[in-house]
Amino acid sequence: MTIDSTDFSQEDRQFMALAIKLAKRGRFTCTPNPAVGCVLAKDGKIVGQGYHTKAGEGHAEVMAMREAGENAKGATAYVTLEPCSHYGRTPACAKGLIEAGVVRVVAAMQDPNPQVAGRGLKMLADAGIATSIGLLEHEAEQLNRGFLKRMRTGLPYVQLKMAMSIDGRTAMANGESQWITGELARQDVQQYRAMASAILSTSKTVMIDNAALTVRWSQLDPQIQAIYPEEKLRQPLRIILDSQHKVLPIGRLFATESPIWLVSSQARDMQGYPAFCEQQVLPESSYFLTDLFTFLGKQQLNSVWVEAGATLAGKLIEAQLVDELIIYMAPKLLGDQARGLCHLPNLYHLADAPLWQLVEMTQIGEDIKLVYRRPSL
Amino acid sequence: MTIDSTDFSQEDRQFMALAIKLAKRGRFTCTPNPAVGCVLAKDGKIVGQGYHTKAGEGHAEVMAMREAGENAKGATAYVTLEPCSHYGRTPACAKGLIEAGVVRVVAAMQDPNPQVAGRGLKMLADAGIATSIGLLEHEAEQLNRGFLKRMRTGLPYVQLKMAMSIDGRTAMANGESQWITGELARQDVQQYRAMASAILSTSKTVMIDNAALTVRWSQLDPQIQAIYPEEKLRQPLRIILDSQHKVLPIGRLFATESPIWLVSSQARDMQGYPAFCEQQVLPESSYFLTDLFTFLGKQQLNSVWVEAGATLAGKLIEAQLVDELIIYMAPKLLGDQARGLCHLPNLYHLADAPLWQLVEMTQIGEDIKLVYRRPSL
């Protein structure tokens, strides 16, 4: 059903671009749902707009129809994702659009959710509504990398963050590591944390850095603050790999009352831990990390932001679990006795090292940010 | 004498920009002289243009005056470097401009050569010619980083080239290193070699890679080839650090008949080496590398392009002899058992690692190129 993009008018393009912009406002809070934006337009004028904020609250189409009221009749709906066809926590949007008298629906992309997957558009078409799909599809894909990957593979989208020197070192030989990169780079990290469904780290990182692994609203970019007020702040789930039960209920991690999962393959006594801290016991396995991410996918976590040391980084890379590398590189040389970026004990030949795909290269203060994706994605 | 840039007209700016463009054509062959371009203009029209190609051949002003002939009379001369005031291998340009009847001279910058250093402009002013200086000075500085550094400090400008993975590795643990970066990045190296007065490497690198360390004209960018014909190709001097006399007169290094210096602190028997290969014996010293570059400066080498391993790279960095890092980064992770970028055994604390200044960040094929300069320069 994908239509050649030349079939869309300049006006179509403008309204869909606005719908995508609206969708972005929901990215901090919508997990496990996708971020979706909707514009209703009639005779070239916007009659309603909306986006999805949070599971349980109105879908983008509902918000736009609410704003449009009677004006929805005869309008075209621009939606960044195919309208849903199933009755979940909210009624099916396709049905709502039909009832409101919308005459045309343009969707940026199909919803891969097996409960939708074309049914929404079919429901609309069956009701005599003109439908088309594929406008700004690439941009719509970027909005929901996490949700889309989970729907397609069952696994969350994994972003591995690393801060290093020019020569790929994360700490001095003596362990000294705070701070390699500058303040602006550290602030940049906050936006990724804020969008992630969960933050993954290890007991070692938590203990060495006394890490809180929270989103600090005050450090978000003012442009994000403008669309994401502090009172709506969502803290991502914090997942700590702690096979040896080393994380005690003390330190900055426990200072914020927000969910923590301690993961290991042996149950521990949770007495003394606050109620927001649970344990997740997974069976021992040589594929422990793959099993963990499969579990996290089942728990409806769309995306996982990883902040950890060279060991976990290497294991995730070797297990091909990383979708994106986000690298902050400070303009320093630390020398070959300093600590390395990732431990890859099974890589012996240059030709066996996969090529990552550079998708972003930005200067952030004195540092640079490099974003790489696996070529297969 | 520096004049505020607002004192220059749009026309002045255009002619100086052209003079700089012309100067760039000489950068491959002009060493040990600076690259200089000159435009002669009268009534808003160009009457002559020229640039300096090679020591012993006409200076830029002479080439431009030759083209202008009688039209030089009454013209304005735009020169990227102050016209010379001394009779060297060619007559003083300041004198030539006076005799040609030029009425105004605009120089981008003063010549720091102690034999000139303001005397050229003074000579012109004394002859009643209007002079001004400072137009596109920054761009003019970039043209001749090598020459200018040598004139100001006696030392050549040192560029250290490194090819590495994302995690700062130059070779696998077993030494496998060809090729980490892609073909386009390796071609990019050729332009730097082509502009360098000399290429510095070590006996180890020469032997392990069977390196030729020559400029391969066929691999130069077509835009460079267009202004730098193959028959004018200059091979930079090749300088090999060979303290233990390991370089034998065999291999690709000796396949091109072009000067080689073997450097050590002990004289060797040069029998069997071709005439284009000489030795340079420098006294043993804890400051051997600093002494070497002082010697190279005295030998009128403006710039040195270094291709070597982690040991020499680290020593040059520690001795603060590196002006520029040119890093080619391949989109691979090689892991922390692979070989590091530079050996810095005396660096213990993060705070002691100096901050380099990023000046360029470019994607080259699948790789990226990062150019850093020492902040103090």
Side-chain angles (χ1 to χ4, degrees), chain A residues 80-100:
Chain A
T80 59
L81 192 69
E82 177 186 7
C84 66
S85 53
H86 61 298
Y87 203 105
R89 286 204 250 187
T90 57
C93 289
K95 197 153 168 277
L97 291 166
I98 295 166
E99 285 167 2

mmCIF file with all atom_site columns, all heavy atoms in Angstrom, chain A residues 80-100:
data_model
loop_
_atom_site.group_PDB
_atom_site.id
_atom_site.type_symbol
_atom_site.label_atom_id
_atom_site.label_alt_id
_atom_site.label_comp_id
_atom_site.label_asym_id
_atom_site.label_entity_id
_atom_site.label_seq_id
_atom_site.pdbx_PDB_ins_code
_atom_site.Cartn_x
_atom_site.Cartn_y
_atom_site.Cartn_z
_atom_site.occupancy
_atom_site.B_iso_or_equiv
_atom_site.pdbx_formal_charge
_atom_site.auth_seq_id
_atom_site.auth_comp_id
_atom_site.auth_asym_id
_atom_site.auth_atom_id
_atom_site.pdbx_PDB_model_num
ATOM 1   N N   . THR A 1 80  ? 1.184   10.161 12.247 1.00 0.00 ? 80  THR A N   1
ATOM 2   C CA  . THR A 1 80  ? 2.548   9.665  12.052 1.00 0.00 ? 80  THR A CA  1
ATOM 3   C C   . THR A 1 80  ? 2.622   8.142  12.111 1.00 0.00 ? 80  THR A C   1
ATOM 4   O O   . THR A 1 80  ? 3.631   7.563  11.731 1.00 0.00 ? 80  THR A O   1
ATOM 5   C CB  . THR A 1 80  ? 3.494   10.256 13.118 1.00 0.00 ? 80  THR A CB  1
ATOM 6   O OG1 . THR A 1 80  ? 3.004   9.885  14.409 1.00 0.00 ? 80  THR A OG1 1
ATOM 7   C CG2 . THR A 1 80  ? 3.553   11.767 13.015 1.00 0.00 ? 80  THR A CG2 1
ATOM 8   N N   . LEU A 1 81  ? 1.562   7.502  12.570 1.00 0.00 ? 81  LEU A N   1
ATOM 9   C CA  . LEU A 1 81  ? 1.512   6.039  12.625 1.00 0.00 ? 81  LEU A CA  1
ATOM 10  C C   . LEU A 1 81  ? 0.069   5.630  12.312 1.00 0.00 ? 81  LEU A C   1
ATOM 11  O O   . LEU A 1 81  ? -0.868  6.336  12.692 1.00 0.00 ? 81  LEU A O   1
ATOM 12  C CB  . LEU A 1 81  ? 1.901   5.569  14.035 1.00 0.00 ? 81  LEU A CB  1
ATOM 13  C CG  . LEU A 1 81  ? 2.178   4.081  14.250 1.00 0.00 ? 81  LEU A CG  1
ATOM 14  C CD1 . LEU A 1 81  ? 3.468   3.675  13.526 1.00 0.00 ? 81  LEU A CD1 1
ATOM 15  C CD2 . LEU A 1 81  ? 2.330   3.765  15.747 1.00 0.00 ? 81  LEU A CD2 1
ATOM 16  N N   . GLU A 1 82  ? -0.055  4.523  11.633 1.00 0.00 ? 82  GLU A N   1
ATOM 17  C CA  . GLU A 1 82  ? -1.394  4.022  11.275 1.00 0.00 ? 82  GLU A CA  1
ATOM 18  C C   . GLU A 1 82  ? -2.338  4.054  12.485 1.00 0.00 ? 82  GLU A C   1
ATOM 19  O O   . GLU A 1 82  ? -1.974  3.579  13.567 1.00 0.00 ? 82  GLU A O   1
ATOM 20  C CB  . GLU A 1 82  ? -1.232  2.565  10.803 1.00 0.00 ? 82  GLU A CB  1
ATOM 21  C CG  . GLU A 1 82  ? -2.537  1.884  10.465 1.00 0.00 ? 82  GLU A CG  1
ATOM 22  C CD  . GLU A 1 82  ? -2.334  0.402  10.156 1.00 0.00 ? 82  GLU A CD  1
ATOM 23  O OE1 . GLU A 1 82  ? -1.196  -0.110 10.332 1.00 0.00 ? 82  GLU A OE1 1
ATOM 24  O OE2 . GLU A 1 82  ? -3.314  -0.237 9.741  1.00 0.00 ? 82  GLU A OE2 1
ATOM 25  N N   . PRO A 1 83  ? -3.547  4.582  12.348 1.00 0.00 ? 83  PRO A N   1
ATOM 26  C CA  . PRO A 1 83  ? -4.488  4.605  13.474 1.00 0.00 ? 83  PRO A CA  1
ATOM 27  C C   . PRO A 1 83  ? -4.804  3.182  13.949 1.00 0.00 ? 83  PRO A C   1
ATOM 28  O O   . PRO A 1 83  ? -4.889  2.266  13.141 1.00 0.00 ? 83  PRO A O   1
ATOM 29  C CB  . PRO A 1 83  ? -5.735  5.276  12.879 1.00 0.00 ? 83  PRO A CB  1
ATOM 30  C CG  . PRO A 1 83  ? -5.240  6.059  11.709 1.00 0.00 ? 83  PRO A CG  1
ATOM 31  C CD  . PRO A 1 83  ? -4.097  5.264  11.162 1.00 0.00 ? 83  PRO A CD  1
ATOM 32  N N   . CYS A 1 84  ? -4.982  3.031  15.237 1.00 0.00 ? 84  CYS A N   1
ATOM 33  C CA  . CYS A 1 84  ? -5.191  1.694  15.782 1.00 0.00 ? 84  CYS A CA  1
ATOM 34  C C   . CYS A 1 84  ? -6.609  1.202  15.491 1.00 0.00 ? 84  CYS A C   1
ATOM 35  O O   . CYS A 1 84  ? -7.548  1.986  15.319 1.00 0.00 ? 84  CYS A O   1
ATOM 36  C CB  . CYS A 1 84  ? -4.886  1.664  17.280 1.00 0.00 ? 84  CYS A CB  1
ATOM 37  S SG  . CYS A 1 84  ? -6.033  2.640  18.251 1.00 0.00 ? 84  CYS A SG  1
ATOM 38  N N   . SER A 1 85  ? -6.724  -0.137 15.431 1.00 0.00 ? 85  SER A N   1
ATOM 39  C CA  . SER A 1 85  ? -7.990  -0.756 15.052 1.00 0.00 ? 85  SER A CA  1
ATOM 40  C C   . SER A 1 85  ? -8.589  -1.547 16.212 1.00 0.00 ? 85  SER A C   1
ATOM 41  O O   . SER A 1 85  ? -9.644  -2.137 16.077 1.00 0.00 ? 85  SER A O   1
ATOM 42  C CB  . SER A 1 85  ? -7.739  -1.719 13.886 1.00 0.00 ? 85  SER A CB  1
ATOM 43  O OG  . SER A 1 85  ? -6.692  -2.622 14.239 1.00 0.00 ? 85  SER A OG  1
ATOM 44  N N   . HIS A 1 86  ? -7.898  -1.553 17.340 1.00 0.00 ? 86  HIS A N   1
ATOM 45  C CA  . HIS A 1 86  ? -8.334  -2.396 18.449 1.00 0.00 ? 86  HIS A CA  1
ATOM 46  C C   . HIS A 1 86  ? -8.721  -1.543 19.652 1.00 0.00 ? 86  HIS A C   1
ATOM 47  O O   . HIS A 1 86  ? -8.206  -0.443 19.848 1.00 0.00 ? 86  HIS A O   1
ATOM 48  C CB  . HIS A 1 86  ? -7.210  -3.374 18.842 1.00 0.00 ? 86  HIS A CB  1
ATOM 49  C CG  . HIS A 1 86  ? -5.959  -2.691 19.292 1.00 0.00 ? 86  HIS A CG  1
ATOM 50  N ND1 . HIS A 1 86  ? -5.220  -1.858 18.462 1.00 0.00 ? 86  HIS A ND1 1
ATOM 51  C CD2 . HIS A 1 86  ? -5.313  -2.694 20.487 1.00 0.00 ? 86  HIS A CD2 1
ATOM 52  C CE1 . HIS A 1 86  ? -4.169  -1.399 19.120 1.00 0.00 ? 86  HIS A CE1 1
ATOM 53  N NE2 . HIS A 1 86  ? -4.212  -1.870 20.344 1.00 0.00 ? 86  HIS A NE2 1
ATOM 54  N N   . TYR A 1 87  ? -9.594  -2.087 20.418 1.00 0.00 ? 87  TYR A N   1
ATOM 55  C CA  . TYR A 1 87  ? -10.010 -1.426 21.637 1.00 0.00 ? 87  TYR A CA  1
ATOM 56  C C   . TYR A 1 87  ? -9.057  -1.838 22.748 1.00 0.00 ? 87  TYR A C   1
ATOM 57  O O   . TYR A 1 87  ? -9.069  -2.962 23.211 1.00 0.00 ? 87  TYR A O   1
ATOM 58  C CB  . TYR A 1 87  ? -11.446 -1.821 22.004 1.00 0.00 ? 87  TYR A CB  1
ATOM 59  C CG  . TYR A 1 87  ? -12.143 -0.808 22.887 1.00 0.00 ? 87  TYR A CG  1
ATOM 60  C CD1 . TYR A 1 87  ? -13.118 0.035  22.379 1.00 0.00 ? 87  TYR A CD1 1
ATOM 61  C CD2 . TYR A 1 87  ? -11.786 -0.702 24.240 1.00 0.00 ? 87  TYR A CD2 1
ATOM 62  C CE1 . TYR A 1 87  ? -13.744 0.973  23.184 1.00 0.00 ? 87  TYR A CE1 1
ATOM 63  C CE2 . TYR A 1 87  ? -12.405 0.229  25.040 1.00 0.00 ? 87  TYR A CE2 1
ATOM 64  C CZ  . TYR A 1 87  ? -13.396 1.075  24.514 1.00 0.00 ? 87  TYR A CZ  1
ATOM 65  O OH  . TYR A 1 87  ? -13.999 2.008  25.316 1.00 0.00 ? 87  TYR A OH  1
ATOM 66  N N   . GLY A 1 88  ? -8.176  -0.924 23.148 1.00 0.00 ? 88  GLY A N   1
ATOM 67  C CA  . GLY A 1 88  ? -7.250  -1.213 24.249 1.00 0.00 ? 88  GLY A CA  1
ATOM 68  C C   . GLY A 1 88  ? -7.727  -0.482 25.472 1.00 0.00 ? 88  GLY A C   1
ATOM 69  O O   . GLY A 1 88  ? -8.886  -0.595 25.870 1.00 0.00 ? 88  GLY A O   1
ATOM 70  N N   . ARG A 1 89  ? -6.807  0.319  26.073 1.00 0.00 ? 89  ARG A N   1
ATOM 71  C CA  . ARG A 1 89  ? -7.219  1.134  27.204 1.00 0.00 ? 89  ARG A CA  1
ATOM 72  C C   . ARG A 1 89  ? -8.118  2.277  26.719 1.00 0.00 ? 89  ARG A C   1
ATOM 73  O O   . ARG A 1 89  ? -8.817  2.895  27.500 1.00 0.00 ? 89  ARG A O   1
ATOM 74  C CB  . ARG A 1 89  ? -5.974  1.711  27.897 1.00 0.00 ? 89  ARG A CB  1
ATOM 75  C CG  . ARG A 1 89  ? -5.239  0.647  28.685 1.00 0.00 ? 89  ARG A CG  1
ATOM 76  C CD  . ARG A 1 89  ? -4.427  1.270  29.788 1.00 0.00 ? 89  ARG A CD  1
ATOM 77  N NE  . ARG A 1 89  ? -3.009  1.156  29.503 1.00 0.00 ? 89  ARG A NE  1
ATOM 78  C CZ  . ARG A 1 89  ? -2.044  1.505  30.366 1.00 0.00 ? 89  ARG A CZ  1
ATOM 79  N NH1 . ARG A 1 89  ? -2.362  2.011  31.538 1.00 0.00 ? 89  ARG A NH1 1
ATOM 80  N NH2 . ARG A 1 89  ? -0.791  1.360  30.058 1.00 0.00 ? 89  ARG A NH2 1
ATOM 81  N N   . THR A 1 90  ? -8.003  2.587  25.425 1.00 0.00 ? 90  THR A N   1
ATOM 82  C CA  . THR A 1 90  ? -8.841  3.630  24.808 1.00 0.00 ? 90  THR A CA  1
ATOM 83  C C   . THR A 1 90  ? -9.501  3.019  23.577 1.00 0.00 ? 90  THR A C   1
ATOM 84  O O   . THR A 1 90  ? -9.003  2.031  23.045 1.00 0.00 ? 90  THR A O   1
ATOM 85  C CB  . THR A 1 90  ? -7.983  4.847  24.405 1.00 0.00 ? 90  THR A CB  1
ATOM 86  O OG1 . THR A 1 90  ? -6.955  4.387  23.529 1.00 0.00 ? 90  THR A OG1 1
ATOM 87  C CG2 . THR A 1 90  ? -7.350  5.516  25.609 1.00 0.00 ? 90  THR A CG2 1
ATOM 88  N N   . PRO A 1 91  ? -10.602 3.597  23.091 1.00 0.00 ? 91  PRO A N   1
ATOM 89  C CA  . PRO A 1 91  ? -11.289 3.013  21.929 1.00 0.00 ? 91  PRO A CA  1
ATOM 90  C C   . PRO A 1 91  ? -10.432 3.099  20.669 1.00 0.00 ? 91  PRO A C   1
ATOM 91  O O   . PRO A 1 91  ? -9.496  3.901  20.594 1.00 0.00 ? 91  PRO A O   1
ATOM 92  C CB  . PRO A 1 91  ? -12.546 3.889  21.785 1.00 0.00 ? 91  PRO A CB  1
ATOM 93  C CG  . PRO A 1 91  ? -12.665 4.679  23.039 1.00 0.00 ? 91  PRO A CG  1
ATOM 94  C CD  . PRO A 1 91  ? -11.291 4.796  23.607 1.00 0.00 ? 91  PRO A CD  1
ATOM 95  N N   . ALA A 1 92  ? -10.747 2.303  19.663 1.00 0.00 ? 92  ALA A N   1
ATOM 96  C CA  . ALA A 1 92  ? -9.981  2.274  18.426 1.00 0.00 ? 92  ALA A CA  1
ATOM 97  C C   . ALA A 1 92  ? -10.063 3.615  17.713 1.00 0.00 ? 92  ALA A C   1
ATOM 98  O O   . ALA A 1 92  ? -11.155 4.161  17.504 1.00 0.00 ? 92  ALA A O   1
ATOM 99  C CB  . ALA A 1 92  ? -10.508 1.166  17.508 1.00 0.00 ? 92  ALA A CB  1
ATOM 100 N N   . CYS A 1 93  ? -8.904  4.138  17.323 1.00 0.00 ? 93  CYS A N   1
ATOM 101 C CA  . CYS A 1 93  ? -8.876  5.454  16.685 1.00 0.00 ? 93  CYS A CA  1
ATOM 102 C C   . CYS A 1 93  ? -9.492  5.416  15.293 1.00 0.00 ? 93  CYS A C   1
ATOM 103 O O   . CYS A 1 93  ? -10.085 6.409  14.857 1.00 0.00 ? 93  CYS A O   1
ATOM 104 C CB  . CYS A 1 93  ? -7.445  5.953  16.598 1.00 0.00 ? 93  CYS A CB  1
ATOM 105 S SG  . CYS A 1 93  ? -6.813  6.402  18.209 1.00 0.00 ? 93  CYS A SG  1
ATOM 106 N N   . ALA A 1 94  ? -9.307  4.300  14.578 1.00 0.00 ? 94  ALA A N   1
ATOM 107 C CA  . ALA A 1 94  ? -9.875  4.209  13.231 1.00 0.00 ? 94  ALA A CA  1
ATOM 108 C C   . ALA A 1 94  ? -11.390 4.429  13.310 1.00 0.00 ? 94  ALA A C   1
ATOM 109 O O   . ALA A 1 94  ? -11.968 5.190  12.540 1.00 0.00 ? 94  ALA A O   1
ATOM 110 C CB  . ALA A 1 94  ? -9.539  2.856  12.605 1.00 0.00 ? 94  ALA A CB  1
ATOM 111 N N   . LYS A 1 95  ? -11.996 3.771  14.285 1.00 0.00 ? 95  LYS A N   1
ATOM 112 C CA  . LYS A 1 95  ? -13.441 3.899  14.483 1.00 0.00 ? 95  LYS A CA  1
ATOM 113 C C   . LYS A 1 95  ? -13.810 5.358  14.798 1.00 0.00 ? 95  LYS A C   1
ATOM 114 O O   . LYS A 1 95  ? -14.754 5.909  14.230 1.00 0.00 ? 95  LYS A O   1
ATOM 115 C CB  . LYS A 1 95  ? -13.860 2.984  15.648 1.00 0.00 ? 95  LYS A CB  1
ATOM 116 C CG  . LYS A 1 95  ? -15.341 2.698  15.724 1.00 0.00 ? 95  LYS A CG  1
ATOM 117 C CD  . LYS A 1 95  ? -15.580 1.345  16.415 1.00 0.00 ? 95  LYS A CD  1
ATOM 118 C CE  . LYS A 1 95  ? -17.062 1.168  16.759 1.00 0.00 ? 95  LYS A CE  1
ATOM 119 N NZ  . LYS A 1 95  ? -17.426 1.828  18.036 1.00 0.00 ? 95  LYS A NZ  1
ATOM 120 N N   . GLY A 1 96  ? -13.032 5.977  15.671 1.00 0.00 ? 96  GLY A N   1
ATOM 121 C CA  . GLY A 1 96  ? -13.268 7.372  16.042 1.00 0.00 ? 96  GLY A CA  1
ATOM 122 C C   . GLY A 1 96  ? -13.216 8.296  14.832 1.00 0.00 ? 96  GLY A C   1
ATOM 123 O O   . GLY A 1 96  ? -14.051 9.191  14.687 1.00 0.00 ? 96  GLY A O   1
ATOM 124 N N   . LEU A 1 97  ? -12.238 8.072  13.970 1.00 0.00 ? 97  LEU A N   1
ATOM 125 C CA  . LEU A 1 97  ? -12.083 8.930  12.788 1.00 0.00 ? 97  LEU A CA  1
ATOM 126 C C   . LEU A 1 97  ? -13.281 8.779  11.843 1.00 0.00 ? 97  LEU A C   1
ATOM 127 O O   . LEU A 1 97  ? -13.760 9.750  11.265 1.00 0.00 ? 97  LEU A O   1
ATOM 128 C CB  . LEU A 1 97  ? -10.781 8.579  12.045 1.00 0.00 ? 97  LEU A CB  1
ATOM 129 C CG  . LEU A 1 97  ? -9.464  8.954  12.781 1.00 0.00 ? 97  LEU A CG  1
ATOM 130 C CD1 . LEU A 1 97  ? -8.264  8.271  12.130 1.00 0.00 ? 97  LEU A CD1 1
ATOM 131 C CD2 . LEU A 1 97  ? -9.257  10.474 12.802 1.00 0.00 ? 97  LEU A CD2 1
ATOM 132 N N   . ILE A 1 98  ? -13.747 7.536  11.722 1.00 0.00 ? 98  ILE A N   1
ATOM 133 C CA  . ILE A 1 98  ? -14.913 7.274  10.868 1.00 0.00 ? 98  ILE A CA  1
ATOM 134 C C   . ILE A 1 98  ? -16.131 8.011  11.429 1.00 0.00 ? 98  ILE A C   1
ATOM 135 O O   . ILE A 1 98  ? -16.805 8.761  10.718 1.00 0.00 ? 98  ILE A O   1
ATOM 136 C CB  . ILE A 1 98  ? -15.194 5.753  10.793 1.00 0.00 ? 98  ILE A CB  1
ATOM 137 C CG1 . ILE A 1 98  ? -14.040 5.026  10.091 1.00 0.00 ? 98  ILE A CG1 1
ATOM 138 C CG2 . ILE A 1 98  ? -16.516 5.474  10.049 1.00 0.00 ? 98  ILE A CG2 1
ATOM 139 C CD1 . ILE A 1 98  ? -14.053 3.495  10.249 1.00 0.00 ? 98  ILE A CD1 1
ATOM 140 N N   . GLU A 1 99  ? -16.325 7.849  12.729 1.00 0.00 ? 99  GLU A N   1
ATOM 141 C CA  . GLU A 1 99  ? -17.491 8.478  13.371 1.00 0.00 ? 99  GLU A CA  1
ATOM 142 C C   . GLU A 1 99  ? -17.445 10.000 13.304 1.00 0.00 ? 99  GLU A C   1
ATOM 143 O O   . GLU A 1 99  ? -18.485 10.659 13.215 1.00 0.00 ? 99  GLU A O   1
ATOM 144 C CB  . GLU A 1 99  ? -17.585 8.026  14.836 1.00 0.00 ? 99  GLU A CB  1
ATOM 145 C CG  . GLU A 1 99  ? -18.105 6.594  14.941 1.00 0.00 ? 99  GLU A CG  1
ATOM 146 C CD  . GLU A 1 99  ? -17.922 6.009  16.335 1.00 0.00 ? 99  GLU A CD  1
ATOM 147 O OE1 . GLU A 1 99  ? -17.424 6.723  17.241 1.00 0.00 ? 99  GLU A OE1 1
ATOM 148 O OE2 . GLU A 1 99  ? -18.257 4.812  16.513 1.00 0.00 ? 99  GLU A OE2 1
ATOM 149 N N   . ALA A 1 100 ? -16.216 10.554 13.329 1.00 0.00 ? 100 ALA A N   1
ATOM 150 C CA  . ALA A 1 100 ? -16.092 12.015 13.298 1.00 0.00 ? 100 ALA A CA  1
ATOM 151 C C   . ALA A 1 100 ? -16.320 12.576 11.895 1.00 0.00 ? 100 ALA A C   1
ATOM 152 O O   . ALA A 1 100 ? -16.382 13.792 11.715 1.00 0.00 ? 100 ALA A O   1
ATOM 153 C CB  . ALA A 1 100 ? -14.719 12.421 13.811 1.00 0.00 ? 100 ALA A CB  1
#
